[in-house]
Amino acid sequence: MDQEKFWVLLSKKLSAEAFPEELKELEHFILEHPDWQYAIQNMEDLWKHRQPKDDMQAEDAYMLHLHRMNEKNILFGNASTVMPVITFKKRIKKWYWSAAAVLILVAGSFFANYKLNTTKGNQAQPGFQLNEISTRSGSKSQIILADGSVVWLNAGSKISYNKDFGIAKREIILTGEAFFDITKNPEMPFIIHTSVIDIKVLGTEFNVKSYPSDKTTETSLIRGSVEVFVKNRVGKIILKPNEKLVVYNEPEISRNKNLQQNETREKIPLFAIKQLNYQNNDTIAVETSWTHNKLSFKNELFADVAKKMERWYNVNFQFDNKNKENLLMYGTFTTETLQEALEALVFSFSFRYRIEHDKVIIY
């Protein structure tokens, strides 16, 4: 029954009809089940774009989707957990039927996919259950972990962690970008694994950007301290507030003149420690501006800015004019549409573009 109550509370929150005590109860559900964040994000996205025209249409949609899910036995796994939702609907007021209609679709797809992901994890490692939370391009999500730590997940990103997170250890795997506000626990360090670096913290605020398609992996420290271990390199790097570690994802091959032509050369990851970037008159670092709903960049190549815009606007960039990839750009966007942002960049940096469906072609 927890899932039923959860979706009802979430419906009421979306419809701005939830009482304060109901919002607190919803927060409690989220704390207990951080893996439901993916479903919440999808539901909120759909709610923004698929509100039914009237109450009757919303109610019909709700019952239709519920009936289909029940027939296919994919909502929560069996009919006994679906049927109580039907009887409970008599007590649901009409002003959030439209939210409930959307919720049914999201709930069904989420729990079916989540069950599949857990099964795959168990097949790979018997007895090991893995939670996975991800965001699509064009969206962001906030996750509250079992230890109270908060994670803001940027577009096109994913975190994975064991189901017993916070009991014996606190470890997660990150692909993409996330901002962390870690609850302090000296006896249980918080560890983040990426494909290039591992990060160990006790309690702090910092940002990690580790997209597979990017040239670098970055750790930006806001408060506290972090220990970073670069894979294939001995020793650790300790960052101070307002510093960031930039690791180049393509390691340099060491050039030892004493090596013979056929001998193997060691690959050394290159890295640099830099200061965080700030736009003029802005107290928020460029590296963490996305957590404040700002798309910000300063002295970055157009090719790198394009990747940020791809994730922000859920589009793809294509450079027919390769010379434009090396334009150095700066700027900040908040509520601008894709076309408004492009027009502003054209005015400052002189290039031409056209939009074809979800593709932006630079020429």
Side-chain angles (χ1 to χ4, degrees):
M1 297 297 290
D2 281 356
Q3 292 168 350
E4 171 191 331
K5 187 64 178 295
F6 171 76
W7 293 119
V8 170
L9 291 173
L10 196 53
S11 307
K12 297 182 75 172
K13 178 185 177 183
L14 271 186
S15 303
E17 295 290 346
F19 294 108
E21 58 270 21
E22 290 176 322
L23 292 175
K24 289 183 180 179
E25 188 176 2
L26 179 60
E27 290 178 3
H28 178 72
F29 273 121
I30 295 173
L31 279 171
E32 283 191 337
H33 302 280
D35 43 294
W36 291 1
Q37 289 282 350
Y38 178 76
I40 297 170
Q41 173 204 319
N42 278 274
M43 190 279 298
E44 289 176 341
D45 289 345
L46 287 173
W47 173 240
K48 292 176 183 178
H49 300 98
R50 295 185 56 185
Q51 296 189 49
K53 295 180 180 179
D54 52 56
D55 290 340
M56 184 59 69
Q57 184 181 11
E59 184 172 345
D60 291 343
Y62 174 86
M63 294 307 299
L64 176 61
H65 293 314
L66 182 61
H67 178 69
R68 288 175 177 172
M69 290 295 177
N70 196 18
E71 277 189 337
K72 295 181 180 180
N73 198 30
I74 63 171
L75 182 59
F76 296 126
N78 57 66
S80 63
T81 54
V82 174
M83 295 309 294
V85 180
I86 298 176
T87 57
F88 190 80
K89 75 104 179 169
K90 295 178 181 179
R91 301 194 297 274
I92 300 178
K93 296 182 180 180
K94 287 186 177 180
W95 26 251
Y96 65 92
W97 272 113
S98 50
V102 177
L103 279 169
I104 283 297
L105 283 177
V106 178
S109 62
F110 167 70
F111 283 104
N113 290 335
Y114 178 71
K115 185 176 180 181
L116 180 61
N117 288 339
T118 302
T119 302
K120 289 181 179 179
N122 290 339
Q123 289 175 346
Q125 294 178 300
F128 184 80
Q129 292 185 321
L130 198 66
N131 286 339
E132 290 188 355
I133 302 172
S134 60
T135 55
R136 301 185 304 274
S137 292
S139 64
K140 299 182 287 292
S141 182
Q142 183 189 75
I143 304 123
I144 303 175
L145 299 176
D147 67 337
S149 297
V150 183
V151 182
W152 287 263
L153 203 58
N154 203 356
S157 303
K158 179 179 72 174
I159 62 169
S160 307
Y161 54 94
N162 198 349
K163 291 275 285 186
D164 64 357
F165 174 91
I167 298 176
K169 59 182 179 179
R170 301 191 295 171
E171 294 190 35
I172 71 167
I173 301 169
L174 169 67
T175 303
E177 183 169 19
F179 182 88
F180 297 87
D181 186 355
I182 303 301
T183 299
K184 192 170 185 178
N185 185 347
E187 297 180 357
M188 192 183 298
F190 194 105
I191 299 174
I192 301 163
H193 302 284
T194 77
S195 59
V196 178
I197 60 176
D198 296 321
I199 304 163
K200 180 180 177 181
V201 300
L202 297 178
T204 184
E205 289 183 339
F206 61 101
N207 193 81
V208 182
K209 184 164 72 75
S210 183
Y211 287 103
S213 60
D214 285 3
K215 297 176 183 177
T216 61
T217 294
E218 298 182 6
T219 304
S220 303
L221 182 61
I222 304 301
R223 175 181 58 83
S225 65
V226 298
E227 297 177 357
V228 186
F229 301 84
V230 182
K231 295 181 179 180
N232 298 324
R233 196 176 190 100
V234 178
K236 63 185 178 183
I237 301 163
I238 300 177
L239 291 181
K240 299 177 182 178
N242 212 42
E243 287 184 340
K244 71 174 178 179
L245 174 69
V246 180
V247 181
Y248 296 89
N249 294 338
E250 290 295 330
E252 182 185 68
I253 299 176
S254 62
R255 306 186 185 281
N256 189 332
K257 294 181 180 179
N258 296 324
L259 289 174
Q260 299 297 321
Q261 184 174 359
N262 295 329
E263 287 186 293
T264 302
R265 294 178 176 179
E266 183 183 5
K267 291 186 176 180
I268 305 295
L270 294 179
F271 67 88
I273 297 177
K274 302 180 179 181
Q275 295 295 305
L276 299 186
N277 289 306
Y278 292 87
Q279 301 282 24
N280 294 335
N281 302 319
D282 198 343
T283 58
I284 300 171
V286 169
E287 288 79 2
T288 61
S289 61
W290 66 270
T291 63
H292 297 267
N293 292 318
K294 293 182 179 181
L295 173 60
S296 189
F297 41 92
K298 184 177 181 180
N299 295 330
E300 295 184 38
L301 296 177
F302 193 4
D304 297 327
V305 172
K307 289 181 180 178
K308 287 186 175 182
M309 296 182 71
E310 284 181 338
R311 296 162 190 148
W312 191 267
Y313 292 106
N314 192 21
V315 295
N316 294 305
F317 272 72
Q318 175 181 312
F319 285 87
D320 284 354
N321 185 342
K322 297 298 182 181
N323 293 329
K324 299 300 181 181
E325 290 183 325
N326 297 317
L327 287 174
L328 276 178
M329 291 185 165
Y330 57 86
T332 298
F333 300 115
T334 51
T335 60
E336 288 83 356
T337 65
L338 172 63
Q339 188 162 358
E340 288 171 342
L342 287 169
E343 287 297 329
L345 292 177
V346 166
F347 179 80
S348 299
F349 303 105
S350 183
F351 62 89
R352 300 178 69 185
Y353 75 92
R354 67 178 183 272
I355 300 175
E356 296 179 358
H357 303 293
D358 62 347
K359 181 182 291 185
V360 179
I361 301 172
I362 307 299
Y363 62 96

